[in-house]
Amino acid sequence: MGLKRSWLDSANSPTTPFPLNNLPYGVFSVGDGDLRCGVAIGDRVVDATGLEAAGALRADPLADVLDAPYWNDFMELGQAAWARYRSALSALLAEGADDATQDLIITHSVKLSEATLHMPFRVSEFTDFYASRDHATNVGTMFRGPENALPPNWLHMPIGYNGRASSVVVSGTDIRRPWGQLKGPDEDRSRFAPSERFDFELELGAIVGTSSNGPLSVAEAYDNIFGYVLLNDWSARDIQAWEYQPLGPFQAKATATTISPWIVTGAALEPFRRDAPAREVALLGHLKDAGPMLYDIALEVTLAPQGKAATTITRTNAKTLYYSAAQQLAHHTSSGCPMRAGDLLGSGTISGPNRENRGALLELSWGGTDPIALETGEKRNFLEDCDTVTLSGAAQGDGYQIGFGDCTGTVQPALNKPFG
Amino acid sequence: MGLKRSWLDSANSPTTPFPLNNLPYGVFSVGDGDLRCGVAIGDRVVDATGLEAAGALRADPLADVLDAPYWNDFMELGQAAWARYRSALSALLAEGADDATQDLIITHSVKLSEATLHMPFRVSEFTDFYASRDHATNVGTMFRGPENALPPNWLHMPIGYNGRASSVVVSGTDIRRPWGQLKGPDEDRSRFAPSERFDFELELGAIVGTSSNGPLSVAEAYDNIFGYVLLNDWSARDIQAWEYQPLGPFQAKATATTISPWIVTGAALEPFRRDAPAREVALLGHLKDAGPMLYDIALEVTLAPQGKAATTITRTNAKTLYYSAAQQLAHHTSSGCPMRAGDLLGSGTISGPNRENRGALLELSWGGTDPIALETGEKRNFLEDCDTVTLSGAAQGDGYQIGFGDCTGTVQPALNKPFG
């Protein structure tokens, strides 16, 4: 299936991230105006809140679910409503729409360049997984040696931990280098200091759209996922090393997690579904593969020192993950854990087989022992103040791309004193 | 300071959990009626939503913060408003109130025995700590031997992990035994089955009332805590053993966490503040003790097999904790993690020095090797289907008690098949 053509020329470019095939959901404002739900198409944002208020395009005949600064109420309507809305919106934007329709859309849309983008949904809870085999192998090799690289449970289930929803921010938000309790292996005692090993993590985030109250099968879980964002789980490796035994990552991951501004729906990614890799250990019934549920999405990360050019420091693909978001969600519900619209599930760092495919500086610099070279001539083991990290991603179709918008953030210096 | 006398006789009993000194906040309904904010006093619940609507007692002159099925909006008003409200409500209920006042309260209150109690607040996020030294020592001894019982970081900071807010339920809610992925040390591979080592955990929960967006000192953190509940963090020990390395507890703790129905405010617990124990390792500045911030609250747990009498299986005290909720909250914010009204912080299992003070069956039965005897003649290593576990707690004043209401739940048999 190729490009779906729109009457809006900018949506037909082979390089726009937002062709008619995409229709990602975000939240925008213009000037001092209210936050509104919007849909990206070419170089414009369609004002979905405005179309609903005008009665021109309603997701729910009875409730103004888009009269809100987030897409959560829309998600709650469920999969059939998502499909109806996408189909109706697509019809308004497709080649052949009449003049009145085109006028309506132009009236209820603005240039993307004039819009400020905000968090596209209210994060109910945030869970982060560890689903890239290359990433888990690299980290495990560094910490436990190559023989014990993968934790014993890793091939049996998609292990994860609960993160902190309150710390999730939208692309463009500055990230303050955290303070934390640190203790190096050679230090006698701990100290409270700014993190010296601050890092990014390249991930894909899945957004639960349909609430549930008991165990889900993998197929059910797939249907409950509303869409996807790029996700950078900023990580303080030195805080993590001292705190994580035995209860897992906590403050190391609580400073901030940045997501891209547009929710790319599962519907837009359907053509890019890919099978999971061969299973070294057969998965138990509740986690068994139930069709292709990974996505072929090319991912890359750039790092730009302050005022200098960006260097692409990694290139990888979401199809290399070992577990799909559907398998992660099924596992998440296995104990009966209730899930809610707006729950965000991070894939875990996505690394590929080679150095240039690694999704975090921890791996790229092999624990800070082998710095990477930037095109500016500088080197990096971990992030320095005022470094800007930008994640981008695209699924490449036949003559079109599905993009997410950049997921970017700049590291600000730590507070002089955290308080007092 | 002794009993504050009320014109409501039932509030003056030395054994009521709800004297005028307490005034805990909950949410109640009567019959098919709406959920309303209520305050317990003696054998009655004062309808705080009704008093607000009548203009008789308002927390905020401009907004109906109690016109909601939770106390979160009230919490957001901040400490000064909490104190004003408590003082004004106390005046309406104190001995000496005139007849019109007494009529007003009787009109806007119901018998506790007629009220159904609900979740008193909307849990924003849930964090569980590990702050009892006896508990951490017992568990560590079982898993790593007595020499390595306490994790290396334990004496340096209040370690914790993020739990699952969606799984927090109010006392009285049935608890379904979870399925999960299990693998015993002698098993070749994992299997998906109902938990065979399902347990309770006796904890105190602290509720954040004031939002924050950066590191808090211990003193600031203390002031931001709105109140406390009893908390049972139901735990599947067999799921936990297989999943927890290296990312910490996840599905083992996601089935349910039960809290008591009444939020006992920090104000009510002021007379019961106690100093922390001597510090074996001096705490770093950001965690240093800043006054007595533990509470002298006697705690106990009963276990009742279906249709049989309950046996008290543990007795301990919240003053034995090593870290206060204020220290936990300060640590929680140290990396810059934003906190919100309604965040719930579990203390971790509270155990005392002797067997009869242990706050979980894991410890009481020493990992299932030494079952406890119930008064019914039965024995328990872990919970059996239809067992009812009830936590209770009271701070004992001079002629009065501060109680929480019971925190109870009954284990239901696992689903026959979790799905499909």
Side-chain angles (χ1 to χ4, degrees):
Chain A
M1 192 186 62
L3 173 74
K4 297 183 187 173
R5 295 193 65 83
S6 170
W7 52 263
L8 201 71
D9 283 343
S10 61
N12 299 327
S13 156
T15 59
T16 178
F18 309 127
L20 183 55
N21 307 58
N22 193 349
L23 299 182
Y25 299 136
V27 168
F28 75 103
S29 63
V30 178
D32 296 333
D34 286 348
L35 275 61
R36 307 172 80 84
C37 291
V39 184
I41 174 86
D43 63 359
R44 298 191 77 83
V45 188
V46 176
D47 178 2
T49 301
L51 284 176
E52 180 186 66
L57 181 61
R58 298 189 61 84
D60 184 329
L62 302 173
D64 288 348
V65 294
L66 298 176
D67 185 18
Y70 42 75
W71 283 82
N72 297 63
D73 295 344
F74 177 86
M75 293 184 207
E76 299 268 11
L77 298 179
Q79 239 211 344
W82 308 343
R84 275 196 307 273
Y85 186 83
R86 179 174 168 84
S87 170
L89 178 60
S90 199
L92 298 179
L93 295 165
E95 208 170 46
D98 60 24
D99 286 354
T101 299
Q102 297 191 22
D103 286 349
L104 174 79
I105 293 295
I106 294 297
T107 304
H108 291 287
S109 66
V110 298
K111 282 267 190 192
L112 245 178
S113 56
E114 289 164 12
T116 304
L117 300 177
H118 306 273
M119 278 290 295
F121 68 107
R122 211 178 37 203
V123 182
S124 298
E125 298 190 62
F126 170 42
T127 312
D128 202 20
F129 288 88
Y130 195 52
S132 159
R133 185 165 183 172
D134 287 310
H135 170 68
T137 302
N138 286 338
V139 173
T141 300
M142 270 183 259
F143 291 150
R144 291 178 295 273
E147 301 78 17
N148 302 304
L150 280 187
N153 49 23
W154 200 92
L155 293 169
H156 298 254
M157 61 184 176
I159 58 174
Y161 65 96
N162 297 299
R164 184 76 197 172
S166 66
S167 69
V168 181
V169 297
V170 74
S171 178
T173 306
D174 280 342
I175 307 301
R176 179 71 62 183
R177 177 185 298 275
W179 284 67
Q181 200 175 115
L182 317 177
K183 182 175 171 298
D186 302 329
E187 291 179 299
D188 279 345
R189 58 156 308 161
S190 58
R191 59 202 163 87
F192 190 58
S195 171
E196 294 155 11
R197 292 162 71 95
F198 197 51
D199 200 355
F200 71 89
E201 290 191 337
L202 166 61
E203 305 193 23
L204 192 66
I207 300 158
V208 174
T210 306
S211 300
S212 59
N213 275 302
L216 296 173
S217 70
V218 171
E220 290 167 338
Y222 184 85
D223 286 344
N224 282 8
I225 296 172
F226 179 65
Y228 296 84
V229 287
L230 303 178
L231 187 152
N232 178 355
D233 191 39
W234 303 91
S235 298
R237 304 299 180 188
D238 39 8
I239 298 175
Q240 188 174 354
W242 173 230
E243 77 176 358
Y244 92 106
Q245 288 286 11
L247 299 181
F250 183 50
Q251 287 307 285
K253 305 284 197 164
T255 301
T257 295
T258 302
I259 62 169
S260 55
W262 297 105
I263 304 172
V264 175
T265 61
L269 291 171
E270 273 295 305
F272 305 98
R273 291 174 68 163
R274 295 293 179 272
D275 280 319
R279 303 304 183 179
E280 185 172 323
V281 173
L283 294 173
L284 293 175
H286 67 299
L287 293 174
K288 260 207 194 338
D289 293 299
M293 295 187 183
L294 294 172
Y295 296 108
D296 182 359
I297 303 169
L299 299 164
E300 63 171 62
V301 180
T302 67
L303 194 162
Q306 185 173 25
K308 297 190 182 163
T311 300
T312 298
I313 58 173
T314 196
R315 286 190 177 85
T316 183
N317 194 299
K319 71 183 175 188
T320 65
L321 288 164
Y322 194 81
Y323 293 107
S324 66
Q327 284 165 321
Q328 292 171 334
L329 178 53
H331 175 59
H332 207 321
T333 64
S334 60
S335 70
C337 182
M339 304 300 296
R340 296 181 295 201
D343 281 336
L344 175 63
L345 276 55
S347 61
T349 304
I350 306 174
S351 294
N354 302 310
R355 185 179 183 186
E356 61 271 23
N357 312 130
R358 295 176 187 162
L361 282 169
L362 177 70
E363 293 168 78
L364 285 162
S365 73
W366 207 252
T369 61
D370 185 12
I372 58 165
L374 304 181
E375 285 164 18
T376 57
E378 290 161 273
K379 296 189 166 197
R380 285 292 183 277
N381 278 317
F382 292 98
L383 295 171
E384 299 196 358
D385 288 345
C386 306
D387 280 356
T388 296
V389 176
T390 303
L391 281 50
S392 58
Q396 182 63 55
D398 181 12
Y400 72 98
Q401 286 187 357
I402 301 289
F404 292 77
D406 284 349
C407 176
T408 191
T410 299
V411 178
Q412 301 299 311
L415 297 168
N416 273 331
K417 283 181 74 177
F419 46 73
Chain B
M1 191 189 60
L3 172 72
K4 296 183 188 173
R5 296 192 65 83
S6 169
W7 52 262
L8 199 73
D9 283 342
S10 63
N12 299 326
S13 156
T15 60
T16 179
F18 309 127
L20 183 55
N21 307 59
N22 194 349
L23 300 182
Y25 300 135
V27 168
F28 75 103
S29 63
V30 177
D32 295 333
D34 286 348
L35 275 61
R36 307 173 79 84
C37 291
V39 185
I41 174 86
D43 63 0
R44 297 190 78 83
V45 188
V46 176
D47 177 1
T49 301
L51 284 176
E52 181 185 65
L57 180 62
R58 298 189 61 83
D60 184 328
L62 301 173
D64 288 348
V65 294
L66 299 176
D67 185 18
Y70 42 74
W71 283 82
N72 296 61
D73 296 343
F74 177 87
M75 293 183 206
E76 298 268 12
L77 299 178
Q79 240 210 343
W82 308 342
R84 275 196 307 272
Y85 186 83
R86 179 175 167 84
S87 170
L89 178 60
S90 199
L92 298 179
L93 294 166
E95 207 170 45
D98 60 26
D99 286 354
T101 300
Q102 296 190 24
D103 286 349
L104 174 79
I105 292 295
I106 294 298
T107 304
H108 291 288
S109 67
V110 298
K111 283 267 191 192
L112 244 179
S113 57
E114 290 164 12
T116 302
L117 301 177
H118 305 273
M119 278 290 294
F121 68 107
R122 212 178 37 204
V123 182
S124 298
E125 299 191 62
F126 171 41
T127 312
D128 203 20
F129 287 87
Y130 195 51
S132 159
R133 185 165 182 172
D134 287 309
H135 170 68
T137 302
N138 286 337
V139 172
T141 301
M142 269 182 260
F143 290 149
R144 291 178 296 271
E147 301 77 17
N148 302 306
L150 280 187
N153 49 23
W154 200 93
L155 292 168
H156 297 253
M157 62 184 174
I159 58 174
Y161 65 97
N162 298 299
R164 185 76 197 172
S166 65
S167 70
V168 181
V169 297
V170 74
S171 178
T173 306
D174 281 341
I175 306 302
R176 179 71 63 183
R177 178 185 297 276
W179 285 67
Q181 199 175 116
L182 317 177
K183 183 175 171 298
D186 302 329
E187 291 179 298
D188 279 344
R189 58 158 306 161
S190 58
R191 59 203 162 86
F192 190 57
S195 171
E196 293 154 14
R197 293 162 71 95
F198 197 50
D199 200 356
F200 72 90
E201 289 192 336
L202 167 60
E203 304 194 23
L204 191 66
I207 301 158
V208 174
T210 306
S211 300
S212 59
N213 276 303
L216 296 172
S217 69
V218 171
E220 289 167 338
Y222 184 84
D223 287 344
N224 282 10
I225 296 172
F226 179 65
Y228 296 85
V229 287
L230 303 178
L231 186 152
N232 178 356
D233 190 39
W234 303 91
S235 298
R237 303 300 179 186
D238 39 8
I239 298 175
Q240 189 174 353
W242 174 229
E243 77 176 357
Y244 91 106
Q245 288 284 12
L247 299 181
F250 183 51
Q251 287 307 285
K253 306 282 197 165
T255 301
T257 295
T258 302
I259 62 169
S260 55
W262 297 104
I263 304 172
V264 174
T265 60
L269 290 171
E270 273 293 306
F272 306 98
R273 290 174 67 164
R274 296 292 180 272
D275 280 319
R279 302 303 182 180
E280 186 172 322
V281 173
L283 294 173
L284 293 175
H286 67 297
L287 293 174
K288 260 207 193 340
D289 294 301
M293 295 185 183
L294 295 172
Y295 296 108
D296 181 358
I297 302 170
L299 300 165
E300 63 172 60
V301 180
T302 67
L303 194 163
Q306 185 172 26
K308 296 190 182 166
T311 300
T312 299
I313 58 172
T314 196
R315 286 189 177 86
T316 184
N317 194 300
K319 72 183 176 188
T320 65
L321 288 164
Y322 194 81
Y323 293 106
S324 66
Q327 284 165 322
Q328 292 170 335
L329 177 54
H331 175 59
H332 207 321
T333 63
S334 60
S335 70
C337 181
M339 304 300 296
R340 296 180 294 200
D343 281 336
L344 174 63
L345 276 54
S347 61
T349 304
I350 306 175
S351 294
N354 302 310
R355 185 178 182 186
E356 62 270 23
N357 312 129
R358 295 176 186 161
L361 282 168
L362 178 70
E363 292 168 79
L364 284 162
S365 73
W366 207 251
T369 62
D370 185 12
I372 58 165
L374 304 181
E375 286 164 17
T376 57
E378 288 160 275
K379 297 190 166 195
R380 284 293 183 277
N381 278 318
F382 292 99
L383 295 172
E384 299 196 359
D385 288 345
C386 306
D387 281 354
T388 296
V389 176
T390 303
L391 281 50
S392 58
Q396 182 64 54
D398 181 11
Y400 72 98
Q401 286 185 356
I402 301 290
F404 292 79
D406 285 349
C407 175
T408 193
T410 299
V411 178
Q412 302 298 312
L415 296 168
N416 273 331
K417 282 182 74 175
F419 47 71

